[in-house]
Amino acid sequence: MMFKAASLIALIWVAGCSSLPYQSLSGPIATVKSAAGLPGVTRNNQPYILAEQSKIYIGDIISTDERSTARLALVSGHTINIAPQTQWLVIDVTSNGIDYKSNSSLSRGALQVKGPGDRPHEFNIRTAIAELQTLAAHFWLGYHKGDNAGLTVAAMDGVPVTVRNRNGETILTAPLQTTTIAPGVAPQITVDWSEQKMQNTIDYYNDQR
């Protein structure tokens, strides 16, 4: 009887936690695990150079030039690899004590999110062309290198990745599924890539030249 009562209390506690409101994090939302070249952050309109163990906060704008990269460890345990010539703004990161949600904006360049993390993390990443939303632990997105005239999004695990804009929506549902989006056009139907093409693309964007 005591076991049943304890089990019921545990179930009620979990159910209660799952309905807790999300609140913005007041402390760091990420730590720089590695940095090459001179990646930087703009915080309160002041520029700083990022180095290993630097902290990242809500409102930070992380930037890399053609010769720099950065790898961040998020509070959820996921990592983000920031390619050269990238600019990424952390709009908000919230948590209900169980999982995380983040809103950010990619204005140029490319990002690769890698997991699994310690906690579930819902990513919402806006770009000038489309918005990405997913609970996936591993995915990649990047503007067309050189002109930012298009966007490519790739799923890298089996968790759905939704890509949408005002013209339509496409959902990636399998590893190595991709979609390409041009300005003013709906996301295109999915295209399957090989592992080699995916790696070649990541290497191309990470080329520090």
Side-chain angles (χ1 to χ4, degrees):
M1 192 72 178
M2 290 181 63
F3 174 77
K4 289 183 178 179
S7 298
L8 180 59
I9 291 171
L11 287 172
I12 292 172
W13 183 83
V14 170
C17 285
S18 65
S19 62
L20 289 174
Y22 283 82
Q23 296 183 341
S24 295
L25 301 188
S26 58
I29 60 92
T31 301
V32 177
K33 303 305 291 183
S34 64
L38 296 173
V41 61
T42 300
R43 180 177 301 147
N44 299 323
N45 295 319
Q46 294 294 319
Y48 304 92
I49 299 298
L50 290 175
E52 189 173 333
Q53 299 304 314
S54 294
K55 304 300 182 183
I56 304 298
Y57 297 86
I58 291 172
D60 282 356
I61 303 172
I62 296 90
S63 301
T64 55
D65 59 22
E66 66 276 7
R67 295 185 180 276
S68 60
T69 62
R71 182 168 63 90
L72 312 181
L74 300 177
V75 288
S76 61
H78 297 71
T79 62
I80 294 187
N81 293 338
I82 301 177
Q85 301 184 72
T86 294
Q87 188 171 81
W88 179 57
L89 164 64
V90 181
I91 298 171
D92 197 14
V93 179
T94 63
S95 177
N96 64 357
I98 299 174
D99 51 23
Y100 292 89
K101 293 182 180 181
S102 63
N103 289 283
S104 62
S105 177
L106 182 68
S107 57
R108 68 170 186 262
L111 299 175
Q112 183 182 6
V113 173
K114 302 180 71 173
D118 302 319
R119 303 280 188 90
H121 191 140
E122 179 181 306
F123 293 90
N124 293 272
I125 303 177
R126 304 173 190 173
T127 75
I129 301 171
E131 177 182 359
L132 175 155
Q133 181 178 17
T134 187
L135 279 163
H138 199 175
F139 60 91
W140 179 92
L141 72 159
Y143 286 92
H144 291 178
K145 194 172 180 180
D147 58 12
N148 284 359
L151 183 76
T152 299
V153 179
M156 301 182 76
D157 60 27
V159 180
V161 177
T162 300
V163 184
R164 64 169 68 94
N165 58 23
R166 66 180 62 184
N167 300 293
E169 176 181 288
T170 292
I171 301 177
L172 311 176
T173 58
L176 302 178
Q177 275 192 348
T178 68
T179 184
T180 301
I181 314 97
V185 178
Q188 300 299 293
I189 60 172
T190 61
V191 174
D192 293 332
W193 281 8
S194 66
E195 290 187 8
Q196 188 62 59
K197 182 170 183 179
M198 186 75 253
Q199 190 58 54
N200 289 345
T201 299
I202 293 173
D203 291 344
Y204 173 67
Y205 276 80
N206 287 339
D207 187 9
Q208 299 174 38
R209 288 185 296 178

PDB file of all heavy atoms in Angstrom, residues 117-132:
ATOM      1  N   GLY A 117      21.895  15.704 -25.985  1.00  0.00           N
ATOM      2  CA  GLY A 117      22.182  16.531 -24.835  1.00  0.00           C
ATOM      3  C   GLY A 117      21.758  15.842 -23.547  1.00  0.00           C
ATOM      4  O   GLY A 117      21.257  14.719 -23.555  1.00  0.00           O
ATOM      5  N   ASP A 118      21.943  16.539 -22.432  1.00  0.00           N
ATOM      6  CA  ASP A 118      21.530  16.008 -21.134  1.00  0.00           C
ATOM      7  C   ASP A 118      20.025  16.169 -20.926  1.00  0.00           C
ATOM      8  O   ASP A 118      19.406  15.408 -20.188  1.00  0.00           O
ATOM      9  CB  ASP A 118      22.262  16.735 -20.009  1.00  0.00           C
ATOM     10  CG  ASP A 118      23.773  16.615 -20.139  1.00  0.00           C
ATOM     11  OD1 ASP A 118      24.243  15.513 -20.487  1.00  0.00           O
ATOM     12  OD2 ASP A 118      24.465  17.618 -19.904  1.00  0.00           O
ATOM     13  N   ARG A 119      19.447  17.183 -21.564  1.00  0.00           N
ATOM     14  CA  ARG A 119      18.020  17.474 -21.436  1.00  0.00           C
ATOM     15  C   ARG A 119      17.420  17.687 -22.829  1.00  0.00           C
ATOM     16  O   ARG A 119      18.114  18.139 -23.740  1.00  0.00           O
ATOM     17  CB  ARG A 119      17.802  18.748 -20.617  1.00  0.00           C
ATOM     18  CG  ARG A 119      18.409  18.739 -19.220  1.00  0.00           C
ATOM     19  CD  ARG A 119      17.527  17.970 -18.241  1.00  0.00           C
ATOM     20  NE  ARG A 119      18.013  18.122 -16.871  1.00  0.00           N
ATOM     21  CZ  ARG A 119      17.630  19.077 -16.048  1.00  0.00           C
ATOM     22  NH1 ARG A 119      16.782  19.991 -16.457  1.00  0.00           N
ATOM     23  NH2 ARG A 119      18.110  19.132 -14.810  1.00  0.00           N
ATOM     24  N   PRO A 120      16.120  17.415 -23.010  1.00  0.00           N
ATOM     25  CA  PRO A 120      15.463  17.763 -24.284  1.00  0.00           C
ATOM     26  C   PRO A 120      15.579  19.259 -24.549  1.00  0.00           C
ATOM     27  O   PRO A 120      15.529  20.070 -23.624  1.00  0.00           O
ATOM     28  CB  PRO A 120      14.004  17.345 -24.056  1.00  0.00           C
ATOM     29  CG  PRO A 120      14.064  16.321 -22.969  1.00  0.00           C
ATOM     30  CD  PRO A 120      15.201  16.740 -22.077  1.00  0.00           C
ATOM     31  N   HIS A 121      15.718  19.616 -25.804  1.00  0.00           N
ATOM     32  CA  HIS A 121      15.910  21.019 -26.182  1.00  0.00           C
ATOM     33  C   HIS A 121      15.157  21.271 -27.483  1.00  0.00           C
ATOM     34  O   HIS A 121      15.452  20.649 -28.497  1.00  0.00           O
ATOM     35  CB  HIS A 121      17.402  21.315 -26.361  1.00  0.00           C
ATOM     36  CG  HIS A 121      17.733  22.764 -26.497  1.00  0.00           C
ATOM     37  ND1 HIS A 121      18.834  23.350 -25.912  1.00  0.00           N
ATOM     38  CD2 HIS A 121      17.105  23.769 -27.158  1.00  0.00           C
ATOM     39  CE1 HIS A 121      18.870  24.624 -26.197  1.00  0.00           C
ATOM     40  NE2 HIS A 121      17.824  24.909 -26.972  1.00  0.00           N
ATOM     41  N   GLU A 122      14.190  22.171 -27.433  1.00  0.00           N
ATOM     42  CA  GLU A 122      13.466  22.566 -28.656  1.00  0.00           C
ATOM     43  C   GLU A 122      14.138  23.800 -29.244  1.00  0.00           C
ATOM     44  O   GLU A 122      14.232  24.835 -28.587  1.00  0.00           O
ATOM     45  CB  GLU A 122      12.005  22.873 -28.345  1.00  0.00           C
ATOM     46  CG  GLU A 122      11.219  23.312 -29.585  1.00  0.00           C
ATOM     47  CD  GLU A 122       9.779  23.651 -29.273  1.00  0.00           C
ATOM     48  OE1 GLU A 122       9.080  22.791 -28.680  1.00  0.00           O
ATOM     49  OE2 GLU A 122       9.367  24.791 -29.595  1.00  0.00           O
ATOM     50  N   PHE A 123      14.608  23.671 -30.472  1.00  0.00           N
ATOM     51  CA  PHE A 123      15.284  24.763 -31.162  1.00  0.00           C
ATOM     52  C   PHE A 123      14.311  25.469 -32.109  1.00  0.00           C
ATOM     53  O   PHE A 123      13.598  24.819 -32.881  1.00  0.00           O
ATOM     54  CB  PHE A 123      16.470  24.248 -31.972  1.00  0.00           C
ATOM     55  CG  PHE A 123      17.596  23.711 -31.143  1.00  0.00           C
ATOM     56  CD1 PHE A 123      17.627  22.368 -30.777  1.00  0.00           C
ATOM     57  CD2 PHE A 123      18.624  24.534 -30.724  1.00  0.00           C
ATOM     58  CE1 PHE A 123      18.663  21.864 -30.009  1.00  0.00           C
ATOM     59  CE2 PHE A 123      19.668  24.039 -29.951  1.00  0.00           C
ATOM     60  CZ  PHE A 123      19.685  22.700 -29.592  1.00  0.00           C
ATOM     61  N   ASN A 124      14.294  26.784 -32.040  1.00  0.00           N
ATOM     62  CA  ASN A 124      13.602  27.625 -33.005  1.00  0.00           C
ATOM     63  C   ASN A 124      14.633  28.611 -33.552  1.00  0.00           C
ATOM     64  O   ASN A 124      15.097  29.489 -32.817  1.00  0.00           O
ATOM     65  CB  ASN A 124      12.445  28.383 -32.352  1.00  0.00           C
ATOM     66  CG  ASN A 124      11.324  27.465 -31.914  1.00  0.00           C
ATOM     67  OD1 ASN A 124      10.421  27.166 -32.675  1.00  0.00           O
ATOM     68  ND2 ASN A 124      11.387  26.998 -30.662  1.00  0.00           N
ATOM     69  N   ILE A 125      14.996  28.425 -34.812  1.00  0.00           N
ATOM     70  CA  ILE A 125      16.031  29.270 -35.418  1.00  0.00           C
ATOM     71  C   ILE A 125      15.424  30.010 -36.606  1.00  0.00           C
ATOM     72  O   ILE A 125      14.954  29.389 -37.565  1.00  0.00           O
ATOM     73  CB  ILE A 125      17.242  28.432 -35.869  1.00  0.00           C
ATOM     74  CG1 ILE A 125      17.817  27.655 -34.673  1.00  0.00           C
ATOM     75  CG2 ILE A 125      18.313  29.345 -36.476  1.00  0.00           C
ATOM     76  CD1 ILE A 125      18.966  26.734 -35.045  1.00  0.00           C
ATOM     77  N   ARG A 126      15.436  31.321 -36.537  1.00  0.00           N
ATOM     78  CA  ARG A 126      14.909  32.155 -37.618  1.00  0.00           C
ATOM     79  C   ARG A 126      16.041  32.546 -38.561  1.00  0.00           C
ATOM     80  O   ARG A 126      17.176  32.774 -38.133  1.00  0.00           O
ATOM     81  CB  ARG A 126      14.260  33.417 -37.049  1.00  0.00           C
ATOM     82  CG  ARG A 126      13.175  33.168 -36.028  1.00  0.00           C
ATOM     83  CD  ARG A 126      12.717  34.475 -35.416  1.00  0.00           C
ATOM     84  NE  ARG A 126      11.837  34.260 -34.272  1.00  0.00           N
ATOM     85  CZ  ARG A 126      11.405  35.225 -33.474  1.00  0.00           C
ATOM     86  NH1 ARG A 126      11.788  36.486 -33.688  1.00  0.00           N
ATOM     87  NH2 ARG A 126      10.608  34.949 -32.454  1.00  0.00           N
ATOM     88  N   THR A 127      15.725  32.633 -39.822  1.00  0.00           N
ATOM     89  CA  THR A 127      16.645  33.204 -40.803  1.00  0.00           C
ATOM     90  C   THR A 127      15.870  34.210 -41.639  1.00  0.00           C
ATOM     91  O   THR A 127      14.649  34.350 -41.489  1.00  0.00           O
ATOM     92  CB  THR A 127      17.243  32.114 -41.728  1.00  0.00           C
ATOM     93  OG1 THR A 127      16.248  31.712 -42.679  1.00  0.00           O
ATOM     94  CG2 THR A 127      17.716  30.897 -40.926  1.00  0.00           C
ATOM     95  N   ALA A 128      16.548  34.884 -42.542  1.00  0.00           N
ATOM     96  CA  ALA A 128      15.876  35.846 -43.411  1.00  0.00           C
ATOM     97  C   ALA A 128      14.998  35.147 -44.446  1.00  0.00           C
ATOM     98  O   ALA A 128      14.188  35.801 -45.111  1.00  0.00           O
ATOM     99  CB  ALA A 128      16.918  36.712 -44.120  1.00  0.00           C
ATOM    100  N   ILE A 129      15.129  33.820 -44.567  1.00  0.00           N
ATOM    101  CA  ILE A 129      14.444  33.079 -45.623  1.00  0.00           C
ATOM    102  C   ILE A 129      13.385  32.135 -45.086  1.00  0.00           C
ATOM    103  O   ILE A 129      12.324  31.960 -45.692  1.00  0.00           O
ATOM    104  CB  ILE A 129      15.475  32.303 -46.475  1.00  0.00           C
ATOM    105  CG1 ILE A 129      16.464  33.298 -47.093  1.00  0.00           C
ATOM    106  CG2 ILE A 129      14.803  31.461 -47.551  1.00  0.00           C
ATOM    107  CD1 ILE A 129      17.650  32.647 -47.767  1.00  0.00           C
ATOM    108  N   ALA A 130      13.633  31.510 -43.949  1.00  0.00           N
ATOM    109  CA  ALA A 130      12.701  30.551 -43.367  1.00  0.00           C
ATOM    110  C   ALA A 130      13.006  30.371 -41.893  1.00  0.00           C
ATOM    111  O   ALA A 130      14.050  30.812 -41.388  1.00  0.00           O
ATOM    112  CB  ALA A 130      12.773  29.212 -44.096  1.00  0.00           C
ATOM    113  N   GLU A 131      12.096  29.690 -41.198  1.00  0.00           N
ATOM    114  CA  GLU A 131      12.262  29.373 -39.778  1.00  0.00           C
ATOM    115  C   GLU A 131      12.349  27.867 -39.597  1.00  0.00           C
ATOM    116  O   GLU A 131      11.623  27.109 -40.248  1.00  0.00           O
ATOM    117  CB  GLU A 131      11.087  29.916 -38.971  1.00  0.00           C
ATOM    118  CG  GLU A 131      11.141  29.584 -37.493  1.00  0.00           C
ATOM    119  CD  GLU A 131       9.930  30.096 -36.731  1.00  0.00           C
ATOM    120  OE1 GLU A 131       9.065  30.732 -37.362  1.00  0.00           O
ATOM    121  OE2 GLU A 131       9.844  29.850 -35.513  1.00  0.00           O
ATOM    122  N   LEU A 132      13.238  27.429 -38.700  1.00  0.00           N
ATOM    123  CA  LEU A 132      13.417  26.019 -38.387  1.00  0.00           C
ATOM    124  C   LEU A 132      12.916  25.771 -36.972  1.00  0.00           C
ATOM    125  O   LEU A 132      13.202  26.552 -36.059  1.00  0.00           O
ATOM    126  CB  LEU A 132      14.890  25.647 -38.508  1.00  0.00           C
ATOM    127  CG  LEU A 132      15.368  24.247 -38.109  1.00  0.00           C
ATOM    128  CD1 LEU A 132      16.658  23.912 -38.864  1.00  0.00           C
ATOM    129  CD2 LEU A 132      15.639  24.137 -36.595  1.00  0.00           C
TER     130      LEU A 132
END
